[in-house]
């Protein structure tokens, strides 16, 4: 198990390093950061002074070496937009993003998994059809459109929830629900499909023939075996929450990483853009690493295959 974790950890670090390298190079060859920040009307002297001040007049390999060396010490540079340390800019936004995404992930598990189990157990019943209809709608509607619809209903029409901001806990309700809808819909559909497959296995039929109560068949026999592929799907859902942060947080003016990323791109704040992409990548790599480890814990064959390959 230790060798399996170390192998996955090494792969995660390689992915993170390649992402940092790719982002660093692309952001510099895709355009002049000085022109993006100062605008087309800036004089050549002002542009050159900006490049010199921010180290952009050095070669890309030299800039990359300096950046990586400083980043390993926790120094991601200074924001060119407000002069603050990039680490401080990101640190104040991470809790906001984690608040809504973690809350949404909890909702996905609380509603998506039970709904999928209910649909599988009551297959072809009205409950099954209702769950699947809701899943199709929830999965098909884009996050930003759902967010706008929720604002119209609950903030404009009913006036029971705020439409934007983050000063109270009520402000987190609409972004959290928006985040959770698509994930819960996907999980419910996947859970239903997986549970139907498991419930048709011979050992389930044998358990029912032996008179095992239905709730025990589902919770003790079917659900643990269905949990293995569901872990992977939950990992995809967690990654999707981070991927949707840019749109959802912008719609609700939620001061998290997503809206901060949009702001940094619009202002040409190169250091913040780089650091936020690294932050998103780190979260995604961590989620994938966690899923791999959980998958190996639930399915020992994965560990054995890894040991045979090594």
């Amino acid at each position: 198990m230790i060798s399996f974790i170390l192998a996955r950890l090494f792969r995660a670090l390689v992915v993170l390093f390649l992402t940092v390298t790719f982002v660093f190079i692309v952001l510099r060859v895709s355009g002049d950061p000085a022109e993006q920040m100062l605008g087309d009307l800036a004089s050549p002297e002002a542009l050159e002074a900006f490049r010199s001040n921010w180290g952009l007049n050095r070669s890309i390999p030299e800039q990359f070496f300096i950046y990586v060396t400083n980043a390993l010490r926790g120094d991601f540079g200074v924001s060119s937009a407000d002069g603050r340390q990039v680490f401080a800019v990101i640190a104040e936004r991470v809790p906001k993003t984690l608040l809504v995404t973690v809350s949404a992930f909890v909702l996905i598990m609380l509603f998506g998994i039970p709904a999928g189990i209910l649909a599988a157990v009551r297959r072809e019943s009205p409950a099954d059809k209702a769950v699947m209809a809701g899943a199709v709608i929830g999965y098909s509607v884009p996050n930003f459109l759902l967010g706008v619809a929720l604002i119209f209903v609950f903030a404009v029409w009913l006036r029971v929830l705020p439409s934007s901001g983050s000063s109270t806990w009520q402000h987190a309700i609409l972004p959290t629900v928006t985040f959770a809808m698509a994930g819960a819909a996907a999980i419910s559909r996947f859970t239903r499909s997986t549970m139907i497959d498991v419930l048709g296995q011979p050992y389930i039929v044998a358990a029912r023939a032996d008179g095992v109560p239905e709730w025990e068949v589902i919770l003790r026999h079917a659900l643990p075996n269905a949990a293995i592929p569901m872990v992977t799907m939950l990992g995809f859902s967690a990654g999707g929450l981070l991927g949707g942060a840019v749109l959802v947080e912008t719609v609700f003016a939620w001061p998290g990483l997503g809206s901060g990323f949009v702001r940094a791109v619009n202002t040409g704040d190169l250091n913040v853009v780089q650091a936020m992409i690294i932050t998103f990548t780190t979260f995604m790599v961590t989620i994938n690493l966690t899923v791999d480890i959980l998958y190996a814990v639930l399915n020992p064959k994965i560990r054995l295959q890894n040991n045979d390959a090594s």
Side-chain angles (χ1 to χ4, degrees):
M1 188 64 182
I2 294 178
S3 61
F4 176 85
I5 294 175
L6 290 177
R8 290 298 189 272
L9 181 60
F10 175 75
R11 294 181 187 180
L13 292 176
V14 170
V15 170
L16 183 59
F17 178 77
L18 292 177
T19 302
V20 172
T21 304
F22 177 78
V23 169
F24 188 91
I25 295 175
V26 167
L27 288 177
R28 280 156 179 78
V29 301
S30 60
D32 187 354
E35 293 180 356
Q36 295 176 5
M37 188 68 186
L38 300 181
D40 297 334
L41 300 179
S43 65
E45 293 78 12
L47 293 173
E48 186 59 34
F50 184 90
R51 298 188 188 101
S52 177
N53 185 48
W54 295 97
L56 299 174
N57 54 350
R58 298 185 176 96
S59 65
I60 291 181
E62 186 179 359
Q63 291 182 51
F64 181 72
F65 177 78
I66 295 173
Y67 182 79
V68 172
T69 303
N70 292 334
L72 291 175
R73 299 198 302 264
D75 181 8
F76 293 93
V78 177
S79 169
S80 57
D82 55 21
R84 291 192 298 158
Q85 287 290 327
V86 171
F87 185 85
V89 174
I90 294 179
E92 71 179 10
R93 290 180 174 271
V94 167
K96 295 291 187 181
T97 294
L98 289 180
L99 173 62
V100 292
T101 54
V102 172
S103 300
F105 189 72
V106 172
L107 290 180
I108 288 173
M109 292 190 294
L110 289 178
F111 290 94
I113 294 177
I117 294 174
L118 174 65
V121 174
R122 299 286 185 262
R123 189 178 181 184
E124 302 300 333
S125 69
D128 178 23
K129 295 178 181 179
V131 169
M132 288 301 96
V136 170
I137 295 173
Y139 193 75
S140 302
V141 178
N143 277 342
F144 70 91
L145 184 59
L146 176 61
V148 172
L150 291 178
I151 289 175
F152 176 77
V153 173
F154 294 99
V156 178
W157 182 27
L158 299 178
R159 296 186 179 182
V160 293
L161 290 173
S163 61
S164 61
S166 64
S167 57
T168 65
W169 64 268
Q170 289 96 332
H171 288 84
I173 294 178
L174 293 183
T176 299
V177 172
T178 304
F179 270 119
M181 283 291 291
I187 287 296
S188 63
R189 293 178 63 186
F190 190 81
T191 300
R192 176 186 182 273
S193 176
T194 304
M195 286 292 292
I196 288 175
D197 290 339
V198 172
L199 290 173
Q201 296 299 315
Y203 61 87
I204 298 294
V205 177
R208 284 172 170 167
D210 289 339
V212 178
E214 186 66 15
W215 67 267
E216 188 173 347
V217 170
I218 295 171
L219 297 180
R220 295 189 58 183
H221 298 280
L223 189 57
N225 288 281
I228 296 176
M230 285 166 55
V231 166
T232 303
M233 192 62 188
L234 285 171
F236 287 143
S237 296
L241 292 176
L242 292 174
V246 173
L247 291 176
V248 176
E249 290 182 1
T250 301
V251 168
F252 292 98
W254 184 261
L257 290 173
S259 59
F261 178 77
V262 173
R263 175 179 177 273
V265 170
N266 290 335
T267 59
D269 199 341
L270 189 64
N271 286 336
V272 174
V273 172
Q274 289 175 165
M276 285 197 170
I277 293 177
I278 293 172
T279 302
F280 279 119
T281 304
T282 302
F283 279 135
M284 296 292 290
V285 167
T286 302
I287 290 171
N288 290 334
L289 179 62
T290 303
V291 169
D292 285 343
I293 294 174
L294 289 176
Y295 204 85
V297 170
L298 294 172
N299 188 359
K301 292 181 180 180
I302 300 297
R303 301 197 301 269
L304 294 176
Q305 292 173 1
N306 182 77
N307 292 333
D308 293 341
S310 57

